[in-house]
Amino acid sequence: MLNIGCHLSTSKGFKHMGMEALSIGANTFQFFTRNPRGGKAKAIDPKDVADLLDIMKAHQFAPILAHASYTLNACSKDAHLRKYATEMMADDLVRMEYLPGNLYNFHPGSHVGQGPEAGIEMIAEMLNEILRPEQTTTVLLETMSGKGSEVGRNFEELRAILDKVELTDKMGICLDTCHVFDGGYDLVNDLDGVLNQFDQLIGLHRLKAIHLNDSLNSLASHKDRHAGIGKGNIGLDAIVRIINHPSLHNLPFLLETPNELSGYAEEIKLLREASHIASFSHI
Ligand code: FE
Ligand code: FE
Ligand code: ZN
């Protein structure tokens, strides 16, 4: 079965997200660990989390994906902001242990003029301070489009971060289709080539989740504006090839398309129908 879901609001708690996912035909989802612009996270209600874990087990959910706050910048020029990022992620990872064995994704950071090498150094430094051998959460670096001074704009930069992290078995990658397309990787005409490049530089075993988005902009535009499935320059055919690719089809696919819940339900239905894996499972 295709593992697919979308970004959901955390405001009504964990159990509510599980029920909402079921109501739109999803068997995974993404959520913010706290306000995307930062700030204090709500206290965890263990009963609420236990209810979600029951739903996930009963309905064979794929791993779910927490997304860190956008303000978290591991490679800010300002040491105070780096300290804030470190504390925020460390706190998020403590909370993630209520949901054992799932995924936590973050934007590597913006080097704000210090250069990618300095940024990469600081990001790895933060991860080495935070990661714990006993944690069950896998921390994912998101592939970025390269707008502004984003670090992680190509596979080489992500590889360079991983090379400097000590507990690399706690690390993985979340590939955002809009971001890599805008970053210059031609998912439309050369999906195999892009995945080969990923495999050679990073290793496909490190790929743990896909942000499945179309793009409003063109290849290598370095813009990062998401479009609905089939409503952008990646297009439905290429997206269907992505969900059915043998190297990808077991991964959780998370939609971050501009949609209300009903729009997500439609995209999930469309993609389930286009998934070869779904039809095989009926035989
Ligand atoms: Fe993201
Ligand atoms: Fe994304
Ligand atoms: Zn984006």
Side-chain angles (χ1 to χ4, degrees):
M1 185 172 74
L2 178 68
N3 296 313
I4 188 161
C6 64
H7 189 91
L8 294 175
S9 160
T10 345
S11 61
K12 290 181 183 153
F14 287 97
K15 180 188 179 186
H16 189 266
M17 288 190 285
M19 310 227 313
E20 211 163 53
L22 286 179
S23 78
I24 56 171
N27 66 331
T28 178
F29 62 89
Q30 173 173 269
F31 64 99
F32 283 123
T33 52
R34 63 186 74 216
N35 187 303
R37 277 175 238 106
K40 227 175 126 51
K42 257 195 260 172
I44 295 256
D45 170 0
K47 166 80 170 79
D48 183 36
V49 173
D51 287 346
L52 169 62
L53 291 173
D54 286 345
I55 292 173
M56 288 173 62
K57 204 170 165 206
H59 298 273
Q60 289 149 359
F61 271 43
I64 55 172
L65 185 54
H67 195 303
S69 161
Y70 290 141
T71 53
L72 189 150
N73 186 3
C75 55
S76 166
K77 258 186 197 165
D78 181 336
H80 285 101
L81 290 179
R82 292 203 302 277
K83 184 163 176 284
Y84 173 65
T86 308
E87 287 168 0
M88 196 152 53
M89 187 182 294
D91 181 50
D92 280 349
L93 290 181
V94 168
R95 298 154 56 81
M96 283 301 289
E97 290 302 310
Y98 282 92
L99 294 158
N102 286 291
L103 307 167
Y104 175 85
N105 171 68
F106 77 108
H107 295 178
S110 290
H111 64 70
V112 283
Q114 306 177 95
E117 293 77 14
I120 287 163
E121 196 66 53
M122 287 171 178
I123 295 159
E125 202 177 297
M126 182 187 78
L127 289 165
N128 285 331
E129 205 174 319
I130 293 172
L131 297 178
R132 295 283 172 263
E134 64 275 15
Q135 77 181 53
T136 66
T137 303
T138 304
V139 175
L140 309 185
L141 299 164
E142 182 167 350
T143 59
M144 303 311 292
S145 68
K147 67 175 186 296
S149 63
E150 280 175 343
V151 179
R153 63 191 159 148
N154 54 41
F155 300 159
E156 285 83 354
E157 289 189 358
L158 297 171
R159 174 75 254 172
I161 297 169
L162 293 175
D163 279 341
K164 291 178 192 292
V165 173
E166 285 148 26
L167 297 175
T168 37
D169 61 322
K170 305 296 176 192
M171 295 295 302
I173 304 287
C174 173
L175 186 146
D176 186 310
T177 54
C178 169
H179 297 178
V180 296
F181 182 74
D182 287 17
Y185 293 95
D186 192 351
L187 299 173
V188 179
N189 299 302
D190 191 20
L191 177 59
D192 280 327
V194 173
L195 293 177
N196 278 337
Q197 233 180 309
F198 186 97
D199 197 29
Q200 273 159 27
L201 278 161
I202 299 175
L204 280 167
H205 65 286
R206 293 234 179 259
L207 186 53
K208 304 292 184 193
I210 305 280
H211 282 166
L212 193 64
N213 304 308
D214 213 325
S215 173
L216 282 180
N217 292 102
S218 52
L219 182 71
S221 61
H222 304 289
K223 282 277 177 36
D224 186 7
R225 288 186 64 207
H226 302 188
I229 299 303
K231 293 180 180 152
N233 290 310
I234 299 177
L236 184 59
D237 289 353
I239 287 172
V240 168
R241 285 196 294 274
I242 291 168
I243 60 170
N244 286 312
H245 196 284
S247 299
L248 308 177
H249 71 252
N250 283 322
L251 295 171
F253 291 91
L254 288 314
L255 299 162
E256 300 175 309
T257 47
N259 269 315
E260 302 291 322
L261 212 52
S262 61
Y264 280 131
E266 280 169 32
E267 288 187 344
I268 289 169
K269 185 166 177 280
L270 171 74
L271 292 166
R272 284 209 186 283
E273 283 167 4
S275 152
H276 301 154
I277 308 112
S279 49
F280 288 145
S281 68
H282 292 303
I283 296 169

